Amino acid sequence: MSPIYLVTDSVISQQAGHTLPFVVEEACRAGVRWVQLREKNLSTRAFLELGFQLKAITQKYDAKLIINDRVDIALAVDADGVHVGQDDMPYHLVRSLLGPNKIVGLSINNRTELLAAQDLDVDYLGVAAIFPTGTKQDTSSVLGIEGLREICALTRFPTFAIGGIHPINIQKVMQTGVTGVAVVSAICGQPCPYEATRELFALLEQSR
């Protein structure tokens, strides 16, 4: 699995002066092989059109395209899989709709949710939030480095950490035993997404 997992955000990308397809293309060109299309505020038609655009880009680079929450969009664009949270469609229904050959990722936020997921056949876990972020102000639910380390030690699944991960802390995160890191603004919000992605890969290489 690629150690860097890009989670998209159109608003952050636009604030940095980019279109989302441009950000995804630059990230994939720099080595990203997992991209999650996460758009909470788009209409179904706009989400679908964006999904087709990103599918063409990810195919070009042999990268995985994962759709956040929307099983219908994933089926329509023939994405590689779906990522669901604790409040989204239940995992077993997602799996039954997608079939056995697609990727299904699940978000977990604490040890209780981890234990509930242990008997599922998910393909990976998204572990959040590691640090406070602009979209997650409730610091009582922030896991921190030690919380992440504990979850990685308790699970057999591949794990991607997410939440406030940037160049300044990415090496500490990787030292917990996590499989990789999921980032949003560390790529989408940067002046040059390609160079930002290459910097993250270089930092990961140094931490090995």
Side-chain angles (χ1 to χ4, degrees):
M1 283 185 166
S2 171
I4 297 180
Y5 184 137
L6 172 62
V7 180
T8 69
D9 190 304
S10 290
V11 173
I12 291 175
S13 299
Q14 289 166 4
Q15 289 173 344
H18 312 306
T19 66
L20 198 57
F22 171 80
V23 170
V24 171
E25 175 103 35
E26 291 295 274
C28 288
R29 189 167 70 88
V32 165
R33 293 297 176 263
W34 285 72
V35 176
Q36 181 186 139
L37 176 55
R38 183 181 187 273
E39 297 296 333
K40 296 291 187 180
N41 299 314
L42 289 183
S43 68
T44 294
R45 183 181 293 272
F47 201 153
L48 187 61
E49 290 174 355
L50 190 54
F52 280 119
Q53 290 180 62
L54 298 197
K55 175 67 176 180
I57 294 168
T58 52
Q59 272 190 317
K60 176 180 174 182
Y61 292 94
D62 197 25
K64 304 293 186 187
L65 176 63
I66 309 296
I67 305 296
N68 180 267
D69 184 21
R70 296 289 299 271
V71 177
D72 57 336
I73 300 292
L75 290 169
V77 305
D78 191 26
D80 296 286
V82 169
H83 184 91
V84 290
Q86 294 292 319
D87 297 324
D88 296 331
M89 184 183 291
Y91 166 79
H92 67 280
L93 290 177
V94 175
R95 176 60 76 194
S96 68
L97 289 167
L98 289 181
N101 298 321
K102 294 292 187 179
I103 297 166
V104 181
L106 176 68
S107 290
I108 60 113
N109 304 282
N110 51 55
R111 181 171 176 164
T112 300
E113 292 173 358
L114 171 67
L115 295 177
Q118 292 288 57
D119 292 332
L120 303 176
D121 62 336
V122 296
D123 293 287
Y124 69 89
L125 297 175
V127 186
I130 311 309
F131 304 107
T133 72
T135 57
K136 193 173 183 69
Q137 301 293 339
D138 178 14
T139 56
S140 65
S141 64
V142 170
L143 285 167
I145 291 293
E146 291 309 313
L148 174 61
R149 192 188 310 277
E150 178 185 15
I151 282 177
C152 291
L154 288 173
T155 186
R156 60 190 171 85
F157 296 120
T159 48
F160 287 93
I162 187 168
I165 299 172
H166 296 282
I168 196 169
N169 57 34
I170 192 171
Q171 291 178 319
K172 287 185 177 179
V173 172
M174 289 302 296
Q175 290 166 4
T176 63
V178 74
T179 306
V181 294
V183 297
V184 185
S185 60
I187 292 177
C188 292
Q190 302 308 304
C192 181
Y194 175 84
E195 292 298 336
T197 305
R198 293 308 304 162
E199 180 186 5
L200 294 176
F201 275 113
L203 289 167
L204 292 184
E205 187 65 29
Q206 292 171 18
S207 68
R208 289 180 177 176

